[in-house]
Amino acid sequence: MTQPEPAAAPAPVLALEEVTKSFGNVRALRGVSLRLHAGQAHALAGENGAGKSTLIKILAGVHGPDSGTVLLDGRPVSFAGPAGARDAGIAVIYQEPTLFADLSIAENIFMGRQPRRALGRIDHAAVREATAALMRRLGVDLDPDRPARGLSIADQQIVEIAKALSFDARVLIMDEPTAALTGTETARLFAVVDALRAEGAAVLFISHRLGEIFELCGSVTTLRDGALVATEDLDGLTEDDLVRRMVGRDLEELYPKQDTASGEPALTVRRLTREGVFHDVSFEVRRGEIVALAGLVGAGRSEVVQAVFGVDSADAGEVEVGGEKLRPGSPTAAMRAGVALVPEDRRQRGLVMEMSIERNIALTGLDRLGSAGVVRRTLERSRAADWAVRLQLKYGRLSDSVGVLSGGNQQKVVLAKWLATEPGVLIVDEPTRGIDVGTKAEVHRLLTALAADGIAVLMVSSDLPEVLGMADRVLVMHEGRLVASLPRAEATEESVMAAATGRSSEEAA
Amino acid sequence: MSTALDRQSQQPPQSPRPTDEKPGPRRSARSLTDLVFRVRELSIGGALALLIFGTWLANPGFLDDQGVKDLLLNSAILVLLATGQSVVVLTRNIDLSVGSVVGLTAFACGSFVSGTQHSAATVLLLGTGLGVLCGVLSGLLVSFGRVPALVVTLGMLYVIQGTGHVWAHGRQINAANVPEGVLRLGSGSVLGVPYLPLISALVLAATAYYLRTYRSGRELYAIGSNPEAARLAGIPIRRRVLGAYAFSGAVAGFAGALWLARFGTVVADAANGWELTVVSAVVVGGVAITGGVGTVWGAALGALLLTTIGSALVVLKVNPFWEQAITGALLLAAISTDRVVRSRTTEALRKRSRQ
Ligand SMILES: Nc1ncnc2c1ncn2[C@@H]1O[C@H](COP(=O)(O)OP(=O)(O)OP(=O)(O)O)[C@@H](O)[C@H]1O
Ligand SMILES: [Mg+2]
């Protein structure tokens, strides 16, 4: 979507001048300037750890800058915490959903800002009504009264989005809001954001899906290693230009798929059913094959792989690994049989945030590293260092806690942790969520190499080009059912989307 | 390159999905969690009823006029303290100093009024004020000093106890010296219901209403549920936690004054050890010790249950040692069921995501 030319440069609503921020000896931002204008959408691009989230947190009043200034309507401000920025009309969607698990969705959205009746009493009905209205606006069917506990990552992100839209923001800041969303939700979000922008809101948008940047924004600022590379109009720029600015070099192929001969079935799933979630799901993954599981958010993809791995129990059906039946509902049994699951939700299931990077990587393979029950620290460290290099991890020290890494780098640690177990069947759920293009190519290369080594790979992904570029076979789910199994040659954007939205199944019926 | 999954712009993005399409899962997700909480309160209520009924069968005297009155009077102060404690526990903190605060304020109020004609209102005000002071002190250390709550309030417990000892020096307040008006507060009643449980019920109801209907009340839940998210939501965490401690202290001080009114004769370490009973009552009543979950109604039911067990054992002439054992067992049972129930509901809620 192209945008009107900036009219005679009005003063930016919100701006940063020469801002610097360090954490210990990590220099997250060095002298970065940024201007956000009313009615314009601006993008922020950069590799994992480039400092994007840090910049946003400074705009949001979470961090104060070490030096430099934040300007609101041209005047220097220093926000007294997130509340100060909020009161100034700045709405922020943070990269990691931060919800109150025990409270309802409605309360999560309006916490601290609930509509009130006389005497300051909360108007519960109004809160619920406003939430329902927001959900309608975003086109999702979430019950305002249900607790946030148990929401999928995508739904958590939707609640975060609703939170930011729930007040008349002059500035809307979004840190990878679409990372867990599929196209339908993304399109809805963009429609809503475009409407806000047309009403005069300034928008700052971060995404590792470069196509989205071109679709939503008019201009872009690129960061590399905390320093500003360029601020420019997107008109006349190509995705490759953007990548070059981010990475500082040309990028090799993003989908380096090798053709491999597939062997005997490594993972066989028969009639797997979980009441109310998915029904009668049967498929197999052969050695050396990469099978993608596609579908819209909420189609039940993650639920299926979790049931396969045994994190959730299934109500019916069976799973076989290498011809042996797997004990249902036992991740330990699955791991012993050589299955690894890289989960979608890194905060809840993937990582121990307080533990160090090396410990997190070593967690899954403790017995292999140990001798007589003692984990050999040197081994642990060398393995962690090994993986850190392979995945281009950006970190201070391996003994730092995982919690301080940037979002994409946390994802890399999750990957390393499971790849280190040298599995026979690798299940990855959104393996490149929040990962920058350079590393994405690296992860893809890794997956291909693993498959070439005879590993069976099952991949859940909301990134359609990734699905099409990497998979030997695409399984498509729609409302809890497996509706299509497309070989690589037949899988196109149209055929997959038709199946995912239930169109082809209707035709077939 | 990497674009989003599909380009569905041709489909009008604004058209909302019909929301009444699937009434099934929508309703049930809500009623499910409702049910969990109700089950908790219902089961405590049921246990309570069963206990009372059983004891009454064994000894009908348990439920005569005097018996009921005793039960109400005995539980009044514990219910009050459980209410205050809940507010602190909801924020993922704890206040172990309440027992000592009750003792100190009871003794202080007693010394103040001994041989004077001060009114009941003055005594209540004094007690509450003293309690607020103690609460604010703990609260400041926890919220602004960032010292763990367990350490701070344990320290406060000993400091206050020690102060009481030094001050009282073995003395006690005699009922004979306490003004008539104050004692009447402890023994009087309206329509046969003693004042004390009425006052507790009032404080309980007001607190429950506050927690449900005011922003700051909901923010206490938010803080306990996810402190990091609370910070990002701009909630003034430290002020809220300080407020919670001030409230807990106020209630404890208030309870101290009532203690004096009820017993007349008090010593400075009158309520030693109560903090643990209070915390047990709160947890048994369904307030999660990890914060963010529970209601003061549940906590009050827990307090009622623990008191009734104590009274029932006396009536049944069981060795009082069993009271502690039973309380402990209840506590463990409550915590383990909470664990199980929580993971089960999470499971169920995950299932009931959008479909
Ligand atoms: N609280 C913190 N303590 C220490 N280091 C931090 C902290 N927050 C961020 N960093 C470091 O600052 C750098 C920039 O991180 P930031 O989160 O801004 O990256 P990002 O551009 O958002 O990356 P991503 O695309 O992966 O989300 C990283 O090296 C990160 O490890
Ligand atoms: Mg980030």
Side-chain angles (χ1 to χ4, degrees):
Chain A
M1 276 158 232
T2 49
Q3 299 192 3
E5 286 294 334
V13 188
L14 190 61
L16 291 180
E17 291 292 347
E18 292 293 324
V19 162
T20 305
K21 178 79 190 173
S22 299
F23 299 100
N25 52 11
V26 178
R27 297 178 65 192
L29 290 176
R30 352 182 169 187
V32 174
S33 301
L34 181 83
R35 294 191 176 75
L36 300 178
H37 294 274
Q40 293 182 24
H42 190 76
L44 194 57
E47 289 184 290
N48 295 135
K52 304 181 297 297
S53 298
T54 307
L55 185 146
I56 276 189
K57 285 184 180 157
I58 287 175
L59 289 175
V62 177
H63 297 317
D66 292 343
S67 70
T69 41
V70 183
L71 300 166
L72 183 69
D73 292 321
R75 275 184 298 278
V77 283
S78 82
F79 294 124
R86 189 185 68 199
D87 295 342
I90 300 171
V92 185
I93 300 170
Y94 296 100
Q95 186 170 8
E96 303 294 338
T98 41
L99 298 181
F100 308 112
D102 305 306
L103 303 185
S104 73
I105 289 181
E107 289 214 88
N108 265 286
I109 292 176
F110 285 99
M111 183 54 68
R113 303 177 289 111
Q114 296 95 336
R116 290 186 290 189
R117 296 179 292 165
L119 302 173
R121 291 167 303 153
I122 293 173
D123 188 343
H124 289 291
V127 172
R128 196 170 309 128
E129 194 34 61
T131 307
L134 279 168
M135 292 303 156
R136 278 196 298 274
R137 199 163 148 206
L138 288 169
V140 293
D141 182 23
L142 278 178
D143 179 2
D145 286 319
R146 68 157 281 166
R149 182 177 298 287
L151 283 178
S152 72
I153 279 282
D155 285 343
Q156 290 180 34
Q157 207 129 39
I158 288 194
V159 175
E160 288 289 338
I161 290 168
K163 210 193 279 182
L165 297 180
S166 66
F167 64 107
D168 290 324
R170 301 172 58 211
V171 182
L172 177 60
I173 299 178
M174 304 184 281
D175 195 350
E176 298 191 37
T178 56
L181 303 186
T182 57
T184 316
E185 289 98 354
T186 305
R188 283 247 163 69
L189 171 64
F190 284 7
V192 174
V193 171
D194 257 333
L196 285 179
R197 192 180 54 74
E199 287 163 20
V203 176
L204 182 61
F205 178 71
I206 295 181
S207 176
H208 287 297
R209 298 174 177 176
L210 302 185
E212 292 179 354
I213 289 184
F214 282 90
E215 186 178 343
L216 187 72
C217 302
S219 51
V220 62
T221 292
T222 313
L223 300 179
R224 194 192 310 151
D225 287 334
L228 187 102
V229 178
T231 294
E232 59 209 319
D233 270 358
L234 276 165
D235 262 350
L237 223 57
T238 64
E239 290 193 10
D240 287 340
D241 294 334
L242 209 50
V243 170
R244 214 167 300 124
R245 305 239 192 314
M246 285 164 58
V247 188
R249 59 184 156 83
D250 280 315
L251 195 66
E252 320 85 276
E253 205 186 351
L254 185 54
Y255 306 110
K257 178 81 181 94
Q258 295 172 235
D259 278 327
T260 50
S262 52
E264 70 271 24
L267 174 72
T268 312
V269 175
R270 267 191 223 104
R271 313 206 64 124
L272 206 61
T273 297
R274 186 171 171 156
E275 229 43 79
V277 186
F278 53 83
H279 298 278
D280 198 7
V281 172
S282 305
F283 61 88
E284 58 178 35
V285 185
R286 293 167 174 278
R287 290 169 51 95
E289 200 181 27
I290 300 182
V291 172
L293 203 51
L296 300 182
V297 166
R301 297 165 300 163
S302 297
E303 288 77 2
V304 167
V305 295
Q306 273 164 14
V308 169
F309 189 61
V311 184
D312 292 343
S313 52
D315 296 327
E318 55 184 38
V319 177
E320 265 178 25
V321 175
E324 303 267 328
K325 225 157 90 186
L326 211 59
R327 188 149 60 88
S330 163
T332 323
M335 277 170 73
R336 208 161 283 148
V339 184
L341 170 72
V342 180
E344 162 191 45
D345 185 346
R346 52 177 173 256
R347 271 192 120 73
Q348 296 291 327
R349 290 152 178 250
L351 296 172
V352 186
M353 286 295 161
E354 297 78 23
M355 253 191 216
S356 71
I357 300 168
E358 53 196 1
R359 270 295 151 79
N360 265 288
I361 294 180
L363 264 183
T364 44
L366 283 182
D367 35 350
R368 204 161 327 156
L369 285 180
S371 73
V374 183
V375 178
R376 276 189 253 137
R377 280 195 62 94
T378 42
L379 248 175
E380 184 178 305
R381 175 156 299 185
S382 72
R383 183 164 84 167
D386 206 33
W387 280 103
V389 173
R390 275 180 87 172
L391 293 175
Q392 300 162 17
L393 193 70
K394 189 167 185 292
Y395 60 95
R397 274 169 303 156
L398 283 175
S399 52
D400 287 347
S401 74
V402 162
V404 307
L405 288 181
S406 79
N409 281 303
Q410 291 178 10
Q411 183 68 22
K412 293 180 198 173
V413 176
V414 182
L415 270 174
K417 167 179 156 178
W418 286 101
L419 291 178
T421 63
E422 293 162 14
V425 177
L426 178 66
I427 307 177
V428 285
D429 195 351
E430 305 289 357
T432 57
R433 181 167 75 90
I435 284 191
D436 67 50
V437 276
T439 316
K440 219 179 218 174
E442 186 54 37
V443 169
H444 292 156
R445 204 175 344 273
L446 209 70
L447 290 178
T448 304
L450 290 172
D453 284 348
I455 291 175
V457 180
L458 177 62
M459 170 175 85
V460 175
S461 175
S462 298
D463 193 340
L464 192 51
E466 174 172 281
V467 166
L468 298 177
M470 294 304 299
D472 293 300
R473 207 144 46 81
V474 183
L475 305 173
V476 188
M477 286 189 73
H478 172 64
E479 293 189 349
R481 287 175 193 282
L482 211 56
V483 291
S485 169
L486 307 165
R488 187 172 173 82
E490 289 170 30
T492 61
E493 218 165 292
E494 291 72 35
S495 62
V496 173
M497 273 330 295
T501 50
R503 271 179 276 153
S504 70
S505 62
E506 274 157 33
E507 280 162 25
Chain B
M1 198 175 278
S2 91
T3 51
L5 182 56
D6 59 338
R7 281 286 161 264
Q8 287 245 302
S9 325
Q10 63 269 37
Q11 175 190 334
Q14 227 62 326
S15 80
R17 219 178 287 172
T19 38
D20 48 0
E21 194 175 48
K22 290 187 187 83
R26 283 176 64 83
R27 280 288 131 253
S28 42
R30 179 183 180 187
S31 48
L32 180 81
T33 33
D34 276 4
L35 193 71
V36 172
F37 288 114
R38 231 171 277 144
V39 161
R40 184 49 178 273
E41 274 147 28
L42 283 178
S43 59
I44 304 172
L48 190 61
L50 219 66
L51 179 67
I52 292 176
F53 184 67
T55 315
W56 173 74
L57 279 187
N59 183 348
F62 185 58
L63 277 193
D64 63 13
D65 267 6
Q66 193 53 43
V68 171
K69 210 178 242 177
D70 280 348
L71 211 56
L72 286 175
L73 272 172
N74 288 342
S75 51
I77 289 181
L78 191 61
V79 166
L80 209 55
L81 293 175
T83 307
Q85 185 74 245
S86 305
V87 173
V88 172
V89 172
L90 278 177
T91 67
R92 208 181 271 192
N93 285 293
I94 197 166
D95 188 352
L96 290 180
S97 68
V98 287
S100 59
V101 173
V102 171
L104 187 76
T105 48
F107 188 81
C109 290
S111 314
F112 179 70
V113 294
S114 274
T116 69
Q117 283 308 316
H118 285 295
S119 70
T122 318
V123 173
L124 287 177
L125 220 63
L126 175 70
T128 312
L130 214 57
V132 169
L133 224 62
C134 298
V136 165
L137 201 58
S138 307
L140 279 176
L141 284 169
V142 172
S143 61
F144 289 90
R146 293 166 190 266
V147 188
L150 202 69
V151 179
V152 168
T153 57
L154 198 61
M156 282 298 283
L157 167 82
Y158 286 120
V159 168
I160 296 172
Q161 240 171 41
T163 313
H165 272 300
V166 173
W167 182 18
H169 220 76
R171 270 184 311 142
Q172 66 171 40
I173 307 297
N174 280 319
N177 294 333
V178 178
E180 190 52 32
V182 175
L183 291 177
R184 216 174 311 124
L185 177 67
S187 55
S189 58
V190 275
L191 302 173
V193 185
Y195 288 135
L196 247 54
L198 281 181
I199 294 175
S200 294
L202 222 62
V203 173
L204 173 66
T207 311
Y209 186 75
Y210 163 77
L211 286 176
R212 212 183 50 242
T213 16
Y214 285 88
R215 283 183 183 174
S216 46
R218 299 315 298 168
E219 286 172 5
L220 295 174
Y221 280 87
I223 293 168
S225 188
N226 185 345
E228 175 61 16
R231 194 172 69 90
L232 291 179
I235 295 173
I237 298 182
R238 287 189 275 189
R239 239 189 305 151
R240 292 284 173 268
V241 171
L242 179 61
Y245 273 98
F247 179 72
S248 167
V251 168
F254 186 76
L258 290 182
W259 185 291
L260 172 73
R262 163 107 204 269
F263 299 106
T265 304
V266 295
V267 290
D269 54 6
N272 275 8
W274 271 53
E275 50 280 336
L276 294 184
T277 318
V278 174
V279 173
S280 310
V282 165
V283 172
V284 167
V287 178
I289 199 79
T290 48
V293 181
T295 64
V296 282
W297 294 112
L301 272 176
L304 217 55
L305 182 64
L306 293 193
T307 316
T308 311
I309 290 173
S311 307
L313 293 183
V314 173
V315 169
L316 298 175
K317 301 200 171 55
V318 178
N319 186 339
F321 159 76
W322 284 106
E323 183 180 351
Q324 289 184 17
I326 291 176
T327 307
L330 261 179
L331 198 63
L332 293 178
I335 290 183
S336 2
T337 42
D338 274 357
R339 275 276 147 112
V340 174
V341 167
R342 182 183 281 217
S343 68
R344 284 285 150 81
T345 36
T346 309
E347 274 275 282
L349 280 169
R350 271 227 306 267
K351 272 194 183 183
R352 279 163 223 254
S353 254
R354 291 184 291 142
Q355 288 160 32

